[in-house]
């Protein structure tokens, strides 16, 4: 089943909490004729249902993550992360905390929340680690920076993931400099996050100098990672990695996905399939175990900016 909804603004990010879809869209505000807003839809197997929330914002919401267990979603706007609490009926939300990262011209690109830890990657290639403190009412009382690395990468960070292994904790990053890196955050000394190891597209295919790590998915229980490598123009590749040894990442297999740069990907809830989008409006489905493309379809001319699986259906958002 195909369904299309016109939100009348470019879509920057999608996020799912339980059976609700959160859409971040915008493009400058009313003076540019494009409204910045958050939309929340009811999700059903096979289709997107009624609009639960449509709320205008002053700023552009560019990237969404959250804490689903607490009905909290967060979005990036330039150098801020705004934490929002969804009502129990999912028909309203309110901002409950804003974390501002100085300096003001610092552009945040991605973040991840795991347990009470928050990791942020920015456009300059730096990473920061924070602790989220909750009060007795399960509300955010404070968010405190615990460690950082200002030179983690020499280009912007596109994706960041946590990896917890017994008592050891790591961050995995994917960057525009063509590298993924693993950082040990078990006990950061002197508040400096130190690199444990790195892995690169160059390990899996030749002539990769112009490629950057577009996105990263990490399967925690299997210590398997998938990365999308894209150039500014030309073919994109998908690589599967064995990260069972944090000191040495081993490429398992690399396949060509599209003849155009890919823009996003996601993995199904059963971890069997990857959905991948590109800038020419195409979607691809890949068998995650065997690394084989099982199907593809062109669904439009616009760049598909984001995608999310829900009950084995792939939801995409376009610019």
């Amino acid at each position: 089943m195909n369904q299309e909804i016109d939100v009348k603004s470019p879509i920057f990010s999608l996020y799912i909490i339980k059976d609700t879809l959160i859409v971040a869209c915008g493009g400058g505000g009313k003076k540019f004729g494009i409204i910045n807003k958050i939309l929340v839809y009811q999700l059903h197997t096979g289709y997107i249902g009624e609009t639960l929330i449509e709320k205008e914002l002053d700023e552009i919401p560019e990237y969404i993550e959250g804490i689903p267990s607490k009905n909290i979603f967060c979005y990036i706007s330039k150098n801020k992360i705004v934490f929002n609490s969804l009502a129990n009926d999912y028909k309203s939300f309110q901002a409950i905390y804003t974390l501002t990262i100085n300096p003001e011209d610092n552009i945040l690109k991605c973040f991840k929340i795991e347990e009470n830890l928050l990791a942020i990657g920015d456009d300059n290639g730096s990473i920061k680690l924070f602790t989220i403190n909750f009060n007795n009412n399960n509300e955010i009382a404070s968010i405190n920076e615990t460690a950082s690395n200002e030179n983690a990468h020499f280009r912007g960070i596109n994706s960041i993931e946590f990896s917890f292994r017994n008592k050891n904790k790591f961050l995995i990053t994917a960057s525009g400099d063509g590298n993924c890196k693993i950082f040990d955050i078990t006990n950061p000394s002197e508040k400096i996050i130190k690199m444990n190891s790195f892995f690169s597209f160059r390990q899996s295919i030749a002539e990769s100098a112009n490629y950057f790590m577009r996105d990263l998915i990490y399967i925690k229980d299997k210590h398997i990672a998938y990365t999308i490598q894209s150039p500014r123009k030309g073919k994109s590749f998908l690589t599967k990695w064995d990260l069972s040894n944090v000191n040495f990442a081993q490429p398992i297999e690399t396949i060509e996905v599209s003849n155009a740069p890919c823009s996003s990907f996601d993995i199904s809830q059963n971890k069997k399939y990857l959905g991948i989008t590109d800038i020419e409006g195409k979607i691809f489905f890949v068998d995650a175990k065997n690394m084989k493309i099982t199907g593809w379809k062109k669904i439009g001319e616009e760049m598909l900016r984001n995608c999310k699986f829900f009950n084995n259906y792939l939801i995409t958002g376009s610019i």
Side-chain angles (χ1 to χ4, degrees):
M1 175 181 177
N2 295 323
Q3 179 187 10
E4 184 174 318
I5 297 174
D6 184 4
V7 302
K8 304 186 187 310
S9 293
I11 294 173
F12 288 103
S13 189
L14 304 174
Y15 192 72
I16 293 175
I17 294 181
K18 297 178 183 176
D19 58 354
T20 59
L21 172 67
I22 303 169
V23 181
C25 48
K30 292 182 179 179
K31 69 177 181 178
F32 296 100
I34 301 175
I35 305 300
N36 304 320
K37 57 187 174 181
I38 294 288
L39 294 160
V40 179
Y41 293 95
Q42 183 70 57
L43 284 177
H44 305 275
T45 300
Y47 70 98
I48 300 171
E50 64 271 28
T51 305
L52 300 175
I53 303 172
E54 183 171 355
K55 187 173 182 178
E56 293 185 14
L57 303 174
D58 293 329
E59 64 271 1
I60 300 175
E62 297 184 76
Y63 182 95
I64 303 181
E65 274 289 339
I67 313 174
S69 63
K70 299 181 184 295
N71 278 1
I72 290 175
F73 73 91
C74 328
Y75 62 80
I76 284 175
S77 182
K78 294 185 179 179
N79 68 323
K80 298 186 299 182
I81 297 178
V82 181
F83 289 72
N84 302 274
S85 178
L86 272 169
N88 291 332
D89 62 1
Y90 301 101
K91 292 185 178 180
S92 65
F93 70 85
Q94 62 177 354
I96 57 172
Y97 198 96
T98 298
L99 176 66
T100 302
I101 308 297
N102 292 318
E104 189 173 331
D105 61 355
N106 189 14
I107 305 300
L108 307 183
K109 291 204 69 176
C110 61
F111 66 101
K112 198 76 174 184
I113 299 171
E114 190 83 20
E115 296 180 354
N116 68 328
L117 295 178
L118 164 66
I120 302 173
D122 69 19
D123 198 39
N124 296 318
S126 69
I127 56 175
K128 294 182 184 294
L129 183 68
F130 296 79
T131 300
I132 304 174
N133 302 300
F134 296 92
N135 60 24
N136 293 333
N137 296 322
N138 216 20
E139 300 167 334
I140 297 176
S142 62
I143 301 178
N144 302 318
E145 183 176 340
T146 56
S148 65
N149 186 324
E150 300 299 326
N151 301 297
H153 291 271
F154 64 85
R155 288 184 181 169
I157 295 171
N158 295 321
S159 189
I160 193 164
E161 294 277 356
F162 284 99
S163 175
F164 294 169
R165 308 179 184 214
N166 297 322
K167 295 182 180 181
N168 297 316
K169 298 179 179 181
F170 300 91
L171 281 180
I172 309 170
T173 58
S175 169
D177 63 13
N179 296 312
C180 286
K181 294 185 178 181
I182 301 175
F183 297 88
D184 191 338
I185 58 169
T186 306
N187 185 24
S189 60
E190 300 178 355
K191 295 191 174 184
I192 301 296
I193 300 175
K194 294 183 178 180
M195 186 182 74
N196 200 75
S197 60
F198 78 95
F199 53 104
S200 167
F201 188 39
R202 298 171 183 85
Q203 294 172 243
S204 57
I205 196 166
E207 300 179 4
S208 57
N210 296 321
Y211 282 77
F212 59 95
M213 290 290 191
R214 178 65 186 86
D215 211 344
L216 163 74
I217 289 175
Y218 176 63
I219 312 301
K220 300 173 185 177
D221 57 341
K222 297 184 181 297
H223 302 309
I224 293 292
Y226 298 90
T227 57
I228 289 287
Q229 294 84 221
S230 291
R232 300 298 177 186
K233 291 182 179 181
K235 300 176 181 179
S236 292
F237 295 84
L238 170 71
T239 300
K240 183 178 182 179
W241 302 85
D242 179 0
L243 300 189
S244 54
N245 183 347
V246 294
N247 297 311
F248 181 73
Q250 181 69 34
I252 298 173
E253 188 172 357
T254 294
I255 63 170
E256 181 183 327
V257 177
S258 174
N259 58 5
C262 287
S263 50
S264 69
F265 75 145
D266 194 28
I267 194 164
S268 60
Q269 282 88 345
N270 60 15
K271 305 296 187 289
K272 290 184 177 181
Y273 297 100
L274 293 160
I276 304 173
T277 65
D278 73 10
I279 67 169
E280 295 181 346
K282 298 190 293 290
I283 57 173
F284 301 84
F285 293 95
V286 177
D287 183 315
K289 181 180 179 180
N290 299 316
M291 291 288 281
K292 304 293 183 185
I293 295 176
T294 60
W296 71 277
K297 183 177 182 179
K298 186 173 179 65
I299 61 174
E301 298 300 326
E302 300 88 357
M303 168 183 170
L304 297 174
R305 178 70 178 263
N306 205 272
C307 65
K308 290 291 179 186
F309 270 104
F310 179 72
N311 290 348
N312 294 325
Y313 286 84
L314 188 67
I315 304 169
T316 63
S318 66
I319 289 298

